[in-house]
Amino acid sequence: MIGRRLLLLGGVAALAGCTVGENVQWLPWNPPEPLPVTVPSGLTGRLARTDALAGHLLGHASAWGLSSGRVTTLEWFRKATAEHFQVIASSDPARRQHSTTVLPSTPSLTQRTASATQAALGKELSALRALHRTSAQQAAGPAALLWASLAAFSATMAAVLPTGVGALGDDGTERSPDLTGTGVDQVLQLGAQAVYGYEMALAAPKLGKADQAALRGRLQQWQAFRPKVLTASPTTELTAPSVGYDVRPARDGASARLIAVQLETAALPMLGAWIAGTSSAAERRVGIDALADSNSALVRFGGAALRWPGWPG
């Protein structure tokens, strides 16, 4: 295999019958300049405390009667948090490079019950969500997506860690968003398709009250999305929504939830690319909150929890 540091001087013919080394020149490879990222003060300490609190719950899992699903979710959460910190501590966080840095230790915890520990963990996650959200609003480009993704992760984890979640994702850090592929027109079309899709999900007969309320609430969020985008981008010229979406009315609660999962799974990387690609701070603010809402809905309806919501998987 010819590595990326190898500059071929002899063209294709050099590969046809020549010994490697005769017609090649080795040149040093310099990585691109790191993208600008401002890491907020106090972030490392908060990440360390969330990790320690999750570890405290795991250390007392048997004595406190934690379910196996909750234990598995907490273990996944700790691994995700460690990965987040390694990216943040790297030389190029906005490209999600990794360092080998580990989270610092924290003072011994004093919580003596699962409920007290979970309450403290939820408080830290809420604070992290606010910190990441502010960082995302103040950033631009992939750095904005970095913080928006972590804000969405923190918000979703605060909701699901008390009980655990059935599906856990293994999304990595190898891919980068297309900074030019998703603009206002595309997210408006996304919103129109999501509204249609949720209407089809709500068409399922004999929906349970909890599913009906959750689906209707999410439909209302998507209906509000379009006016927010237009307010953030007042010069946008409206185009007619696409017709003929390939979504059929749901047959039951399970198929209604599946429609929701498919919609949110498709929406997350589009919203992430929009956040990373837009030069408008107003659009970015709308995208940051929409990303968090979409990630929470994905998990609520049975989709896999993601370590990096909004990044291409």
Side-chain angles (χ1 to χ4, degrees):
M1 179 179 291
I2 304 301
R4 60 182 172 183
R5 293 185 175 88
L6 191 59
L7 179 64
L8 298 180
L9 301 180
V12 177
L15 295 178
C18 299
T19 302
V20 173
E22 292 180 0
N23 293 313
V24 299
Q25 179 180 352
W26 293 92
L27 295 177
W29 180 78
N30 295 317
E33 286 294 320
L35 296 171
V37 173
T38 301
V39 178
S41 175
L43 176 58
T44 297
R46 287 203 176 277
L47 288 172
R49 283 192 292 276
T50 61
D51 176 71
L53 287 162
H56 193 57
L57 283 166
L58 288 169
H60 295 82
S62 179
W64 289 347
L66 271 61
S67 68
S68 60
R70 190 174 179 188
V71 167
T72 300
T73 303
L74 284 164
E75 290 171 342
W76 178 89
F77 168 77
R78 291 192 77 191
K79 290 178 182 178
T81 300
E83 181 176 295
H84 293 163
F85 179 66
Q86 288 178 336
V87 166
I88 292 168
S90 76
S91 60
D92 199 358
R95 291 191 177 95
R96 294 191 298 170
Q97 299 301 300
H98 285 250
S99 70
T100 58
T101 310
V102 297
L103 285 163
S105 59
T106 61
S108 298
L109 300 175
T110 59
Q111 289 81 4
R112 296 186 176 182
T113 65
S115 59
T117 309
Q118 183 59 56
L121 178 55
K123 183 177 180 180
E124 289 294 339
L125 285 168
S126 295
L128 276 173
R129 192 248 174 171
L131 193 63
H132 293 321
R133 182 173 181 269
T134 298
S135 295
Q137 291 173 339
Q138 295 173 347
L145 175 54
L146 170 73
W147 299 120
S149 180
L150 293 176
F153 174 87
S154 299
T156 299
M157 289 298 104
V160 304
L161 285 181
T163 57
V165 62
L168 300 167
D170 61 354
D171 50 313
T173 57
E174 293 79 18
R175 300 178 64 185
S176 300
D178 180 357
L179 301 185
T180 62
T182 305
V184 172
D185 289 344
Q186 286 76 24
V187 295
L188 287 173
Q189 292 286 350
L190 168 67
Q193 182 169 359
V195 167
Y196 179 84
Y198 272 97
E199 289 173 343
M200 293 298 98
L202 281 162
K206 298 181 180 179
L207 271 177
K209 289 184 179 179
D211 279 339
Q212 188 173 58
L215 290 165
R216 192 168 299 282
R218 187 63 182 133
L219 170 62
Q220 291 169 349
Q221 285 181 320
W222 276 115
Q223 287 172 329
F225 177 69
R226 180 182 176 89
K228 290 178 182 178
V229 173
L230 293 174
T231 299
S233 184
T235 60
T236 298
E237 295 184 6
L238 293 179
T239 57
S242 300
V243 295
Y245 299 128
D246 188 19
V247 182
R248 302 291 185 268
R251 301 181 305 276
D252 51 28
S255 60
R257 291 189 295 273
L258 179 59
I259 288 174
V261 168
Q262 291 171 337
L263 289 168
E264 305 299 349
T265 298
L268 281 167
M270 290 188 66
L271 292 169
W274 183 40
I275 292 167
T278 183
S279 60
S280 165
E283 289 180 20
R284 195 177 304 120
R285 284 192 294 271
V286 174
I288 291 165
D289 290 340
L291 184 73
D293 290 341
S294 186
N295 192 57
S296 293
L298 172 70
V299 177
R300 161 64 181 81
F301 293 117
L306 300 173
R307 290 175 292 204
W308 298 99
W311 292 84

